């Protein structure tokens, strides 16, 4: 049951992030190849780097082709949907990103603990899984990634990783631990979006 829960959650995260990649690609008027590329890197980029860093190879989407099928189908359906509504809601990208961030963070942290890595490493792997796909998407589209701005983004991911590791050490059931951590990450990120919460920024007026 745990494996099924993780698999379904991971797929939901992939779909959410793939849609966000399509939203960015269509706003920039990319061709079909560009749309698929942005959908793919957003959906599986973080997990790919995570697996490579932990030596969990071949990486998950090479072993399970369902990930590539889901990304491709999601991209096609999203393009048709966008053509039908003509314009997507302004906050849709950030909301989808929030769901992907929350799910991927906990899936990444869970995999690290399952492979025997320490709590701090699990938190780091969760953060990498959560933020890297969006970073690659934004860099490819010529934007400053959310994680490098004042957005409460990586902070929410770290919170989720810490919650999951603590719940695991307290011997909560894995599904309960993941649910609590996902809820914590998602709540912080959505609250930051809704109330325009942000981290302080630092700037210098001095010239180099």
């Amino acid at each position: 049951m745990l494996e099924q829960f993780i698999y379904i959650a991971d797929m939901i995260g992939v779909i959410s992030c793939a849609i966000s990649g399509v939203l960015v690609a269509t706003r920039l008027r990319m061709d079909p190849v560009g749309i698929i590329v942005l959908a793919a890197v957003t959906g599986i980029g973080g997990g790919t780097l995570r697996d490579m860093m932990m030596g969990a190879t071949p990486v998950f989407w090479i072993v399970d082709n369902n990930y590539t099928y889901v990304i491709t189908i999601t991209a096609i359906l999203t393009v048709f949907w966008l053509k039908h509504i003509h314009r997507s809601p302004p906050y849709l990208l950030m909301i989808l990103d929030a769901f992907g961030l929350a799910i991927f963070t906990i899936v990444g942290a869970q995999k690290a603990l399952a492979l025997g890595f320490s709590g701090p490493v699990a938190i780091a792997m969760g953060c990498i899984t959560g933020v890297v796909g969006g970073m690659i998407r934004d860099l490819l589209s010529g934007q400053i990634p959310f994680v490098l701005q004042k957005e409460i983004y990586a902070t929410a991911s770290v919170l989720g990783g810490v919650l999951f590791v603590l719940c695991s050490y307290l011997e909560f059931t894995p599904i309960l631990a993941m649910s609590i951590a996902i809820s914590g990450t998602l709540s912080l990120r959505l609250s930051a979006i809704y109330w325009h919460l942000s981290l302080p920024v630092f700037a210098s007026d001095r010239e180099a």
Side-chain angles (χ1 to χ4, degrees):
M1 183 175 178
L2 174 60
E3 290 184 2
Q4 186 177 23
F5 177 84
I6 295 171
Y7 191 72
I8 292 173
D10 203 24
M11 281 297 182
I12 293 172
V14 168
I15 291 170
S16 297
C17 288
I19 295 173
S20 76
V22 175
L23 289 175
V24 173
T26 52
R27 287 175 185 175
L28 296 174
R29 299 182 179 276
M30 291 187 177
D31 63 16
V33 174
I35 291 172
I36 292 293
V37 167
L38 282 199
V41 298
T42 313
I44 59 177
T48 299
L49 180 59
R50 173 204 65 211
D51 283 4
M52 292 175 65
M53 292 179 69
M54 296 194 302
T57 53
V59 296
F60 65 102
W61 59 269
I62 293 178
V63 176
D64 185 353
N65 290 329
N66 286 333
Y67 284 93
T68 54
Y69 299 150
V70 166
I71 289 171
T72 303
I73 293 170
T74 299
I76 293 171
L77 293 178
T78 303
V79 168
F80 280 110
W81 175 67
L82 290 173
K83 283 185 174 293
H84 177 71
I85 66 169
H86 302 297
R87 185 178 181 182
S88 61
Y91 280 100
L92 183 59
L93 174 60
M94 287 192 290
I95 291 173
L96 289 169
D97 244 18
F99 276 91
L101 177 72
I103 293 171
F104 284 163
T105 293
I106 312 312
V107 169
Q110 190 279 333
K111 186 166 187 176
L113 286 184
L115 291 174
F117 290 96
S118 66
V121 171
I123 294 168
M125 290 299 106
C127 191
I128 287 170
T129 310
V131 307
V132 166
M135 285 185 66
I136 298 173
R137 176 201 64 205
D138 292 343
L139 290 171
L140 289 177
S141 59
Q143 304 177 74
I144 300 175
F146 281 142
V147 69
L148 300 181
Q149 301 182 57
K150 61 182 180 180
E151 297 278 348
I152 294 180
Y153 193 76
T155 307
S157 179
V158 171
L159 171 66
V162 170
L163 284 174
F164 178 72
V165 169
L166 286 176
C167 288
S168 298
Y169 285 168
L170 292 173
E171 299 185 350
F172 286 29
T173 62
I175 292 179
L176 178 59
M178 293 184 72
S179 299
I180 292 172
I182 289 172
S183 298
T185 307
L186 189 59
S187 297
L188 178 56
R189 180 62 185 137
L190 290 179
S191 296
I193 294 171
Y194 185 80
W195 282 294
H196 303 287
L197 305 176
S198 62
L199 297 173
V201 295
F202 302 93
S204 174
D205 295 329
R206 295 181 180 179
E207 295 183 1

